[in-house]
Amino acid sequence: MPTSTIIEINGEYRTGKTQTCLTCSVTAQLPEGEGGLGRAVIYIDTENSFQASHLQAIGNRFGIAPEELLNNLFVVQAEQLRYLNQAIDRLPGYVQALDPGLIVIDSLMAPFRNEFHQLNELAVRQKKIGKLIGLLKRIAIAFNTTVIFTNQVMANIGTVGSFIPVKATGGHVIAHASDIRLFMKKLSGNKRLVKIDDCAWLPPDSAEFYITSAGVADTETLSGEKAKPEKATDEELEESLEDLKQEEKEQSIPQPAIIEMI
């Protein structure tokens, strides 16, 4: 995630968008020698999906104390469009005071989709989105800050034979504003796929990752965690049940006496 850029992460629900934002909110606070920026983070939550407890679990994974982690993280709740606009209008002042290395908006399009329902309001919506994105782009370049925003998807009703079932919302305004556009997709279990849809200096590529109890990772089981036990067969379950019954017969545990109060 390079600085001075705007990065869009889009995909269906439960594909790892918020998990990636939370993980980046922790790694951005790491020292530069450990792959971080050593700077604060501003997190704008529009879907009420931010969880401090889960963020602390990610922080423990990277060795950051909860107090230090939360002292360098500034969360803004903006579930309605007017609150999001207020947060973005005040963002230059926040950035000057805090010098964040990362600004997260999860998700950018949710308030706009809730506010603008009619087709005749599309032009007004796109104009407002363009103004907001323009301010974010100027902030990212002026303060050498990374801006990550998540985006929702909608059904792609195209021509017959189209192999793209969904597409990102926001139209061309969002597409042209993003320096890097990432698409996430569900695979089996906790495995996910992320693909570079658009980037001026990177070729199209993809990689697999996992959603874990401590953020996103390259492997399903992190170091220090126990691997998930394999599912027992019916025969093994029956044998275990018989063994338990036999143990109960051999070692009968005395029950406490029942005392009735008169």
Side-chain angles (χ1 to χ4, degrees):
M1 304 292 188
T3 56
S4 299
T5 57
I6 292 185
I7 301 166
E8 174 195 351
I9 304 175
N10 63 70
E12 298 181 25
Y13 65 96
R14 297 184 65 82
T15 52
K17 302 187 297 294
T18 298
Q19 295 277 355
T20 301
C21 291
L22 291 174
T23 305
C24 289
S25 298
V26 174
T27 56
Q29 299 183 35
L30 293 173
E32 293 185 9
E34 299 179 14
L37 299 172
R39 297 163 69 184
V41 176
I42 296 177
Y43 198 107
I44 302 176
D45 180 20
T46 67
E47 294 185 319
N48 198 24
S49 57
F50 177 83
Q51 295 182 357
S53 58
H54 185 56
L55 190 78
Q56 292 179 15
I58 302 175
N60 292 334
R61 166 187 166 192
F62 290 97
I64 302 179
E67 297 80 8
E68 180 184 356
L69 178 67
L70 298 178
N71 285 339
N72 291 320
L73 181 76
F74 302 88
V75 182
V76 180
Q77 296 289 348
E79 295 183 25
Q80 298 181 19
L81 182 58
R82 58 175 178 169
Y83 297 139
L84 176 61
N85 288 330
Q86 290 176 6
I88 299 300
D89 290 340
R90 297 172 182 175
L91 196 56
Y94 294 155
V95 172
Q96 290 180 358
L98 303 174
D99 187 29
L102 173 65
I103 299 172
V104 175
I105 305 177
D106 184 25
S107 113
L108 178 65
M109 285 301 299
F112 286 98
R113 298 185 76 182
N114 293 333
E115 186 80 16
F116 297 95
H117 304 284
Q118 305 299 327
L119 187 61
N120 57 3
E121 299 175 333
L122 183 60
V124 178
R125 187 192 78 168
Q126 295 302 96
K127 185 178 180 180
K128 290 181 178 292
I129 295 173
K131 180 181 177 181
L132 187 148
I133 288 288
L135 178 57
L136 290 174
K137 207 171 186 68
R138 292 192 295 272
I139 290 175
I141 295 173
F143 294 93
N144 192 28
T145 300
T146 303
V147 175
I148 300 177
F149 71 88
T150 63
N151 192 5
Q152 300 173 343
V153 295
M154 60 182 181
N156 185 20
I157 306 175
T159 58
V160 178
S162 175
F163 296 100
I164 304 176
V166 295
K167 62 179 180 180
T169 60
H172 296 291
V173 175
I174 294 289
H176 290 299
S178 308
D179 297 306
I180 303 176
R181 199 172 210 193
L182 304 177
F183 172 72
M184 291 186 173
K185 180 181 178 182
K186 297 177 185 177
L187 297 179
S188 60
N190 292 326
K191 185 186 292 186
R192 301 291 186 266
L193 177 73
V194 59
K195 184 176 68 171
I196 300 176
D197 265 356
D198 184 37
C199 182
W201 61 89
L202 292 175
D205 203 353
S206 62
E208 294 180 356
F209 68 97
Y210 292 89
I211 296 177
T212 72
S213 59
V216 296
D218 294 332
T219 58
E220 187 172 10
T221 304
L222 299 173
S223 59
E225 287 186 346
K226 295 181 179 179
K228 294 181 179 179
E230 297 181 358
K231 188 176 180 180
T233 62
D234 294 339
E235 292 79 5
E236 291 174 342
L237 289 174
E238 290 180 1
E239 291 179 1
S240 299
L241 186 58
E242 291 296 331
D243 292 340
L244 288 173
K245 290 181 179 179
Q246 185 64 29
E247 288 180 3
E248 289 179 356
K249 291 179 181 180
E250 294 177 354
Q251 300 178 354
S252 59
I253 301 176
Q255 298 296 323
I258 300 176
I259 302 175
E260 296 182 357
M261 301 298 294
I262 301 175

